[in-house]
Amino acid sequence: MDYRLEKNFLQFKVAAQYGKTVLSPATQTRNFSSASFFVGNRGLLGNRASVTESFKMMVDDIFSVGKGKADEELKLIENIREGIKYGALDENIVAAELGAVLKAINKKGIKSTDELTAILTKGQGGAGILSKMGGKASRVYAGGDNVWKWYAYNWYKSFLGDYAGKDLGKMKRWFREITGKELDLKQLGRKQLTTNAEKVEEAIKQASGWYVRNTMPTYSLVPDLIKAIRTTPFGNFVSFPAEMIRTSALSLRTNLREVASDDKVLREMGYRGAMGQFMVLGG
């Protein structure tokens, strides 16, 4: 089967999207600033977490790896691993969609990538014109989302720490009431938890990750149909509207479940989230 026409369409789509997003300073800035609305959508304001610290972590990850002190490097690696492990840090829409399209191009029986694909990926002889600049730019673009996701993750950890205290029973109750599932302390393959403090800490991290994944765009969770559409020549960044629908509905459901709780701390969170969603979606 001849895939040349589809391949050419896909390559044009990749080039256009890559240029107007990853390589555009204006779009980079807009991506970072607009992603803050996902935090406002749940009313995550106050001093429970630091935007500055989240921003610094992403900058260090992109530009300063191997240049800092040993203890700072270890802390950075530990934070990133934690964020990925609990699902708080995820692929950015551009990284996800462009990567998927490029893979689709190469799957169509092409033995050697042509000039356009080569420039955007490996380049001539493994060192394309955009390979270094594009790699950094892609990570900066993804970091625009991850700054706010890491902020939200730490905000929820602080909130849930106050909510649960040292009571594992309250976290089990949180999982039943808010997620509709039972707490499973073994689901992430962590070592055996022995003390109550370890179990509470693990439950809080799982719950914080759940909040982020289900109230902020998480492009690895899009349905297979959307994944298939984004590798066609038609449709630009279809994952975004799909995630907006999913997270808006789940944010509303989470707000209502929190408001319905007989725990005053959760009720306050529910009202905070409802007001945040009203302001952001209304605005």
Side-chain angles (χ1 to χ4, degrees), residues 96-125:
E97 295 213 5
L98 296 189
V101 173
L102 285 172
K103 289 179 181 178
I105 292 173
N106 288 314
K107 281 184 178 179
K108 305 302 183 182
I110 302 168
K111 299 301 182 182
S112 60
T113 55
D114 61 16
E115 184 177 359
L116 176 59
T117 307
I119 289 175
L120 294 178
T121 53
K122 296 179 182 179
Q124 301 292 336

Side-chain angles (χ1 to χ4, degrees), residues 167-265:
D167 188 351
L168 182 61
K170 295 192 75 171
M171 287 308 303
K172 291 181 177 179
R173 181 180 175 184
W174 181 92
F175 272 89
R176 284 194 299 269
E177 292 185 354
I178 307 304
T179 73
K181 299 179 181 179
E182 294 294 328
L183 170 62
D184 182 5
L185 294 173
K186 298 179 181 180
Q187 68 174 356
L188 294 177
R190 183 174 167 172
K191 65 180 182 180
Q192 185 67 33
L193 302 173
T194 56
T195 67
N196 181 72
E198 288 179 335
K199 293 177 180 178
V200 171
E201 179 185 7
E202 174 68 14
I204 287 175
K205 289 179 178 179
Q206 287 189 27
S208 300
W210 183 93
Y211 266 132
V212 173
R213 289 193 309 276
N214 290 284
T215 62
M216 302 179 74
T218 305
Y219 301 105
S220 60
L221 298 180
V222 297
D224 291 337
L225 175 61
I226 301 299
K227 292 179 180 179
I229 292 174
R230 73 186 183 188
T231 59
T232 67
F234 311 102
N236 289 319
F237 302 132
V238 292
S239 298
F240 180 74
E243 276 300 279
M244 282 300 297
I245 294 171
R246 183 185 74 90
T247 56
S248 295
L250 285 176
S251 293
L252 178 59
R253 189 191 72 175
T254 300
N255 295 336
L256 294 176
R257 287 183 175 182
E258 289 171 337
V259 169
S261 174
D262 59 6
D263 186 281
K264 67 176 183 179
V265 177

